[in-house]
DNA sequence: GTAGGGTTAG
């Protein structure tokens, strides 16, 4: 019950519920949901969709699937096209594409539209599990709505365009020209300190609004659309979702989907070709932060740091706003450069600026510190993260187990594994891989100990 | 007025 005896309605509860789940506060979300039910506020399809998606995001996939199955059994409308889309996406992420396709069939039969978001997930899933043949089957299954044929047409016109690209023989390098040095990179990521937006923020903050329900939220709102030293807008929001415009438009959302497909396979040159065609055609939609983040992330993974900073530079030129993901990638890049200190300070600055640090940011820096051999500092950051109320997830634990195992700190690695299981987080396929490596680390330690004791033995005799 | 895809660990 809120102050003043006003009872929150379903929409208020849904918003809170979704916020808690996105902030990975699963327990709080469950408590809130129970409160909502006990107060007699009706849960809507929206509420359940948030819950299912939240369970997936909070490493409780089985619970999510079970909830979906139970809701389908109930009389009345508890599931809709979005529910199906959420579950299909999760199945695709887990590589269960056949099962995903079964659900597509079911949703279509029930009259729910298989829309662009759903098809995007499916296409990425098909490519990931090397089941391109399923695209044909998808086309045959879907009768309701017309997005699938138009996606196929889109793909065909993209491939036709790629066969005769405007600039043949170019590789990725000239696409994002940047000849700067590391110093310029620091400039790209530094924030205004004393004057300008930050200063203005502080001044405004001094004149506090007594009636404001939350000074913290006010501060967030003020910095949300501020501009950093380079003139690049910084937003605490993620890139906005836009709807597809049809196959003729070569729209940025489909480009982003295919960039993701090409980049995940390491096909950088094809991805760049696609981007080049897109940029040359200059359709009504510009590249957005998803587009640039995809490239940066891929360049970082390949170790092409110069190109990474070049993309960052271009984002600035295009006044494309950087979001949380952009900063995670920057931190990742700095980690690769062995600049863990700078990476830490970027996080610190962001935290000072808005106080909003998301779990991925923490995970990325923990990874950067760990890979840089700073295992202690990684653990420290983990503790700091927990202390500030951010719940660690499977990624956090996988990372910590991995870096500790690699550093030969077997005990620590096991400590994190136990902690993860204690928190009720289910291990995933990455955990399996990481644990295999841990086994190897133990083997190595054993054989080292054996040779050492042999040495001692031989000394003694 | 609230929910889903495409960027962030391996």
């Amino acid at each position: 019950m809120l102050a003043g005896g006003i009872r929150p309605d379903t929409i208020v509860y849904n918003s809170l519920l979704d916020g808690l789940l996105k902030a990975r506060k699963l327990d709080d979300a469950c408590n809130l949901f129970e409160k909502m039910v006990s107060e007699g506020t009706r849960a809507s399809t929206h509420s359940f969709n948030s819950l299912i998606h939240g369970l997936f995001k909070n490493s409780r996939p089985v619970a999510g699937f079970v909830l979906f199955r139970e809701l389908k059994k109930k009389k009345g409308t508890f599931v809709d096209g979005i529910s199906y889309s959420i579950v299909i996406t999760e199945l695709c992420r887990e590589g269960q594409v056949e099962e995903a396709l079964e659900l597509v069939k079911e949703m279509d039969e029930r009259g729910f539209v298989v829309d662009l978001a759903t098809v995007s997930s499916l296409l990425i899933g098909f490519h990931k599990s090397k089941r391109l043949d399923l695209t044909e089957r998808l086309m045959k299954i879907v009768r309701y709505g017309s997005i699938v044929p138009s996606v196929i047409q889109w793909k065909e016109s993209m491939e036709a365009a790629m066969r005769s690209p405007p600039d043949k023989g170019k590789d990725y390098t000239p696409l994002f020209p940047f000849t700067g040095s590391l110093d310029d990179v620091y400039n790209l990521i530094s924030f205004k300190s004393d004057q300008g937006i930050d200063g203005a923020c502080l001044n405004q903050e001094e004149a506090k609004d007594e009636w404001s329900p939350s000074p913290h939220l006010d501060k967030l709102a003020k910095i949300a659309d501020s501009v950093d030293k380079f003139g690049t807008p910084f937003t605490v929001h993620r890139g906005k979702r836009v709807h597809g415009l049809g196959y003729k438009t070569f729209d940025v959302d489909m480009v982003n989907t295919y960039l993701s497909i090409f980049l995940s396979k390491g096909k950088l040159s094809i991805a760049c070709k696609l981007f080049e065609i897109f940029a040359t055609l200059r359709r009504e939609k510009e590249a957005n932060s998803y587009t640039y983040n995809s490239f940066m992330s891929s360049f970082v993974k390949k170790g092409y740091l110069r190109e990474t900073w070049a993309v960052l530079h271009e984002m600035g030129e295009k006044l494309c706003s950087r979001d949380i993901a952009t900063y995670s990638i920057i931190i990742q890049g700095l980690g690769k450069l062995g600049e863990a200190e700078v990476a830490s300070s970027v996080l610190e600055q962001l935290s000072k600026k808005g106080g909003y640090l998301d779990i991925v940011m923490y995970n990325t820096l923990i990874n950067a510190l760990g890979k840089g051999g700073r295992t202690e500092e990684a653990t420290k950051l983990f503790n700091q993260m927990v202390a500030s109320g951010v719940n660690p997830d499977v990624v956090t634990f996988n990372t910590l187990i991995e870096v500790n195992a690699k550093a030969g700190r077997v005990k620590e690695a096991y400590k994190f594994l136990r902690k993860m299981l204690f928190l009720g987080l289910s291990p995933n396929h990455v955990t399996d891989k990481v644990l295999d490596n841990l086994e190897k680390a133990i083997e190595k330690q054993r054989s080292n100990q054996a040779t050492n004791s042999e040495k001692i033995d031989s000394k003694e005799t």
Side-chain angles (χ1 to χ4, degrees):
Chain A
M1 188 76 72
L2 294 182
I6 301 163
R7 207 175 232 213
D9 65 0
T10 304
I11 290 174
V12 172
Y13 266 119
N14 286 352
S15 309
L16 288 169
L17 195 65
D18 193 57
L20 286 173
L21 288 163
K22 290 213 166 95
R24 318 245 178 170
K25 311 230 177 240
L26 186 59
D27 289 341
D28 292 339
C30 290
N31 289 337
L32 185 82
F33 185 72
E34 270 172 32
K35 195 174 163 241
M36 175 179 179
V37 174
S38 68
E39 259 182 24
T41 311
R42 203 178 62 86
S44 62
T45 312
H46 264 86
S47 332
F48 290 119
N49 286 344
S50 290
L51 264 181
I52 296 171
H53 185 239
L55 286 166
F56 292 150
K57 273 252 141 45
N58 286 275
S59 321
R60 304 293 197 285
V62 181
F65 291 129
V66 170
L67 178 58
F68 176 67
R69 208 178 52 211
E70 295 302 313
L71 287 171
K72 277 201 294 185
K73 280 189 203 157
K74 286 177 86 163
K75 274 186 187 164
T77 38
F78 288 95
V79 294
D80 60 7
I82 306 275
S83 331
Y84 274 95
S85 179
I86 292 168
V87 177
I88 286 167
T89 301
E90 179 64 17
L91 286 170
C92 286
R93 283 211 186 98
E94 293 184 15
Q96 308 201 49
V97 277
E98 294 270 1
E99 290 81 353
L101 213 51
E102 279 304 306
L103 273 188
V104 172
K105 201 173 168 186
E106 195 181 301
M107 80 183 277
D108 182 68
E109 279 166 1
R110 292 185 62 171
F112 299 127
V113 180
V114 183
D115 65 2
L116 185 66
T118 318
V119 173
S120 262
S121 302
L122 286 160
L123 287 180
I124 288 167
F126 294 166
H127 274 89
K128 234 187 221 163
S129 43
K130 296 182 178 135
R131 291 296 307 274
L132 291 185
D133 55 301
L134 294 181
T135 316
E136 290 287 315
R137 257 171 66 191
L138 174 67
M139 190 142 80
K140 280 182 193 140
I141 286 174
V142 180
R143 305 160 307 165
Y144 194 87
S146 59
I147 189 76
V148 181
S150 91
V151 167
I152 309 266
Q153 267 176 295
W154 190 96
K155 182 181 180 258
E156 274 162 12
S157 54
M158 169 191 73
E159 281 166 349
M162 304 246 288
R163 271 193 290 274
S164 50
D167 287 289
K168 256 189 184 163
K170 264 193 188 176
D171 68 349
Y172 57 85
T173 323
L175 200 52
F176 302 106
F178 178 66
T179 46
S181 69
L182 193 60
D183 282 342
D184 299 319
V185 174
Y186 296 148
N187 282 331
L188 284 176
I189 56 178
S190 68
F191 299 88
K192 280 191 173 176
S193 49
D194 298 313
Q195 329 110 351
I197 297 292
D198 254 11
C201 268
L202 284 174
N203 289 337
Q204 276 167 17
E205 216 188 11
E206 279 163 17
K208 269 184 192 141
D209 178 4
E210 285 178 41
W211 297 95
S212 164
S214 166
H216 177 65
L217 283 183
D218 286 350
K219 196 179 160 197
L220 266 183
K222 278 195 191 88
I223 60 103
D225 298 305
S226 64
V227 172
D228 66 25
K229 194 176 179 180
F230 193 72
T232 312
F234 170 66
T235 169
V236 290
H237 312 289
R238 278 145 200 266
K240 268 188 193 145
R241 190 157 48 91
V242 237
H243 289 287
L245 300 169
Y247 70 96
K248 280 181 189 155
T249 53
F250 218 76
D251 64 293
V252 67
D253 300 306
M254 283 304 290
V255 169
N256 285 346
T257 298
Y258 273 94
L259 280 180
S260 152
I261 287 170
F262 295 145
L263 291 173
S264 74
K265 290 183 179 170
K267 295 185 173 174
L268 262 179
S269 56
I270 297 182
C272 290
K273 217 180 261 179
L274 173 59
F275 181 81
E276 193 176 33
I277 296 167
F278 171 71
T280 315
L281 291 178
R282 230 179 250 305
R283 299 298 174 151
E284 53 269 43
K285 294 265 186 202
E286 290 273 352
N288 56 27
S289 56
Y290 268 109
T291 322
Y292 291 118
N293 288 347
S294 299
F295 274 110
M296 286 179 69
S297 138
S298 213
F299 286 149
V300 164
K301 285 210 176 83
K302 292 239 173 191
Y304 300 153
L305 295 171
R306 188 163 282 278
E307 283 71 22
T308 309
W309 309 130
V311 178
L312 189 63
H313 190 258
E314 173 149 339
M315 271 180 105
E317 303 246 288
K318 291 275 157 66
L319 292 178
C320 172
S321 64
R322 300 172 191 161
D323 58 13
I324 305 221
T326 317
Y327 280 94
S328 283
I329 300 163
I330 291 171
I331 287 172
Q332 206 185 344
L334 289 169
K336 281 241 159 136
L337 275 172
E339 299 280 346
E341 285 292 324
V342 187
S344 283
S345 80
V346 169
L347 190 89
E348 215 170 281
Q349 283 184 69
L350 278 174
S351 129
K352 268 189 209 151
K353 222 168 136 62
Y356 180 88
L357 293 182
D358 87 346
I359 177 127
V360 179
M361 206 100 93
Y362 274 115
N363 286 348
T364 310
L365 188 54
I366 287 175
N367 183 57
L369 289 168
K371 295 279 160 68
R374 299 163 180 246
T375 333
E376 300 269 357
E377 283 172 61
T379 310
K380 236 165 112 182
L381 188 63
F382 170 79
N383 293 328
Q384 185 192 313
M385 159 185 170
V386 174
S388 64
V390 177
N391 288 332
D393 64 358
V394 196
V395 179
T396 323
F397 284 109
N398 285 350
T399 310
L400 282 165
I401 296 170
E402 199 211 349
V403 298
N404 277 292
K406 278 202 177 139
R409 294 155 55 116
V410 178
K411 252 189 174 171
E412 291 287 310
Y414 267 113
K415 204 186 89 193
F416 283 117
L417 175 65
R418 274 197 302 272
K419 201 160 196 164
M420 168 179 163
L421 296 173
F422 174 76
L423 289 171
L425 296 172
S426 31
N428 60 16
H429 62 284
V430 181
T431 323
D432 294 341
K433 223 175 186 171
V434 164
L435 287 179
D436 278 348
N437 290 334
L438 179 57
E439 291 290 326
K440 277 176 202 157
I442 295 169
E443 280 297 313
K444 202 174 157 189
Q445 218 167 50
R446 272 203 198 120
S447 70
N448 278 349
Q449 270 165 6
T451 25
N452 282 343
S453 52
E454 266 170 37
K455 274 180 197 159
I456 294 164
D457 284 350
S458 59
K459 263 184 194 168
E460 279 173 353
T461 44

